[in-house]
Amino acid sequence: MLVYPSSIDLSSRTLRCLAGRLAARRGEIGTRWRRLTANRQALLALAHLRCGDTYAQLATGFGIGVATVYRYIGEAVDVLAALAPTLAEAMDIARTKAFVTLDGTLLPIDRIAADTPYYSGKHKRHGMNVQVLTDPFGRLLGASPALPGSTHDLTAARTHGIVDALTDADLKCWADKAYQGGGGSIRVPFRGRRLKRWQRRHNNTHAKIRCLGEQAIATLKGWRLLRKLRCSTNRITAIVHAVLVTPRHEVGKGSLLS
């Protein structure tokens, strides 16, 4: 078998923080011995999340079984996901901001044509719908649980209580045309082909503000695992929340890992 060196574009501080969390977890459950140290387990999980390496690849690289890789990654993901902010916590942070942006993204999954609930007619592919809140600088504030890809963005936002939370907080929110009719404090661009000049100017300004939310989604999808998920759909929410926590640490803006 050929072997080549590789790297993960994450800081050693992220590795140390996750390793510390895993070590604490082992102490809580009374683990006496593991095939990998907490530091190596953290490296294993980050390689899977960031680079999208498969269980088989990681099993070979770390010299352990595929089942052990599955358990170790699942444990690390759960440890990280537990640190993700709830909607209430995200709203508390959002109240200190001038405004927020709301956008939905489709996370591709490997499903067949028969899995109709997961098929997005908009994107023409199977996936899971995730709603993302960002601050005026494009920093991630929170991400919703994942719903089947056929769910409309506005329906998903209402299902998770995001629309009501924004209204109760009286917080200005910029969103795209998919949230038309959301009401409350959600601001959307004008629709139609024959818009007046002032409406076109408004849409241009709106797009400049909302593009920061697109940058946040690009940050999430910088984690290769989220570009093509091959796991159970029941695990996708935990994976998204685990990834949500780590970028905050990497960019040094209010890390939830520290």
Side-chain angles (χ1 to χ4, degrees):
M1 179 176 295
L2 298 177
V3 179
Y4 68 94
S6 184
S7 63
I8 307 174
D9 56 341
L10 298 174
S11 67
S12 58
R13 183 183 176 194
T14 297
L15 179 66
R16 291 194 301 270
C17 288
L18 177 54
R21 294 280 180 176
L22 290 173
R25 167 67 178 168
R26 294 182 181 191
E28 291 173 1
I29 62 178
T31 299
R32 294 184 178 181
W33 180 83
R34 293 281 186 99
R35 292 293 302 275
L36 296 180
T37 63
N39 192 72
R40 294 285 286 173
Q41 182 183 357
L43 182 62
L44 173 79
L46 292 175
H48 178 66
L49 293 172
R50 186 66 177 179
C51 304
D53 292 342
T54 65
Y55 294 153
Q57 290 172 326
L58 293 170
T60 302
F62 283 81
I64 56 179
V66 174
T68 304
V69 171
Y70 176 81
R71 292 196 305 271
Y72 281 7
I73 291 177
E75 182 180 44
V77 166
D78 290 339
V79 167
L80 288 174
L83 302 175
T86 63
L87 178 59
E89 292 170 342
M91 285 296 104
D92 288 340
I93 299 174
R95 287 188 181 94
T96 64
K97 311 296 181 180
F99 64 88
V100 296
T101 60
L102 172 64
D103 201 358
T105 185
L106 186 80
L107 301 179
I109 59 176
D110 59 340
R111 288 296 183 271
I112 60 176
D115 295 320
T116 305
Y118 300 101
Y119 185 77
S120 170
K122 176 182 177 182
H123 298 277
K124 307 300 181 184
R125 65 191 307 177
H126 293 82
M128 299 293 285
N129 182 302
V130 174
Q131 301 295 302
V132 178
L133 278 172
T134 60
D135 69 6
F137 301 98
R139 293 175 294 197
L140 293 162
L141 295 179
S144 73
L147 291 177
S150 60
T151 308
H152 191 274
D153 280 341
L154 180 56
T155 301
R158 284 174 170 164
T159 300
H160 297 307
I162 298 174
V163 174
D164 291 338
L166 291 171
T167 301
D168 294 341
D170 193 23
L171 188 64
K172 296 178 182 178
C173 175
W174 267 256
D176 61 20
K177 296 177 182 178
Y179 298 89
Q180 193 85 30
S185 58
I186 297 180
R187 301 186 177 187
V188 297
F190 290 102
R191 301 182 67 176
R193 296 182 178 179
R194 298 182 179 180
L195 298 178
K196 297 180 180 179
R197 184 176 299 176
W198 69 270
Q199 290 175 321
R200 292 197 298 270
R201 287 199 303 266
H202 174 275
N203 283 1
N204 289 336
T205 302
H206 186 281
K208 291 178 181 178
I209 296 173
R210 198 180 61 80
C211 71
L212 296 174
E214 298 287 349
Q215 294 178 11
I217 291 178
T219 299
L220 276 180
K221 292 192 174 181
W223 295 70
R224 295 180 184 174
L225 184 65
L226 297 183
R227 299 177 190 175
K228 185 68 173 182
L229 289 157
R230 296 177 174 83
C231 61
S232 168
T233 54
N234 296 327
R235 292 292 299 164
I236 292 178
T237 295
I239 291 173
V240 171
H241 287 170
V243 169
L244 173 68
V245 171
T246 313
R248 289 167 168 255
H249 178 78
E250 283 303 307
V251 297
K253 298 172 181 176
S255 168
L256 294 179
L257 279 176
S258 57

